[in-house]
Amino acid sequence: MGLRPVLGDVALPLAARGAGTYTSGPVAGAGMAADVLLTVHVTAVSGTPTLNCSLEESSDGVSWSAVPGSATAQLTAAGNAVAAAAITKNYVRATSTVAGTTPSVTYRVVLLIVPE
């Protein structure tokens, strides 16, 4: 068994985001994602923010549900977080939530996908 190619995509590009929930579009083509590594890179924060990121999956690309065990550690300052999960449905996307007191978080989310 040899190594398989890994696919990658910037699910949420680097940007400053205030309080709210942000989701990417579907990142992998139907049925392509088997194992996904979610990476988050925070470059700056202001206020007293919290950032939570995780994966969602969907059979049809319309109705989404959380992927168990895919949440990263909560970020409150510049730094990095990762999480990995197995995808059981056709589509995968990243979701993130910024909360706190007058929060602003500059971050990006990248997904690395090992196809089936």
Side-chain angles (χ1 to χ4, degrees):
M1 172 184 231
L3 295 175
R4 292 181 287 178
V6 173
L7 307 171
D9 197 2
V10 177
L12 295 170
L14 186 66
R17 296 176 177 91
T21 298
Y22 305 89
T23 57
S24 71
V27 176
M32 283 196 68
D35 296 299
V36 177
L37 180 67
L38 167 69
T39 66
V40 182
H41 179 62
V42 175
T43 60
V45 300
S46 66
T48 309
T50 61
L51 173 62
N52 295 295
C53 298
S54 62
L55 297 171
E56 293 181 337
E57 63 184 354
S58 171
S59 294
D60 58 10
V62 176
S63 299
W64 296 88
S65 59
V67 176
S70 71
T72 64
Q74 185 178 77
L75 292 165
T76 59
N80 302 297
V82 298
I87 304 302
T88 60
K89 297 182 180 173
N90 286 336
Y91 301 96
V92 64
R93 73 178 182 184
T95 185
S96 62
T97 301
V98 176
T101 306
T102 60
S104 178
V105 183
T106 302
Y107 67 99
R108 75 178 187 158
V109 176
V110 173
L111 300 184
L112 300 176
I113 299 165
V114 178
E116 191 66 56

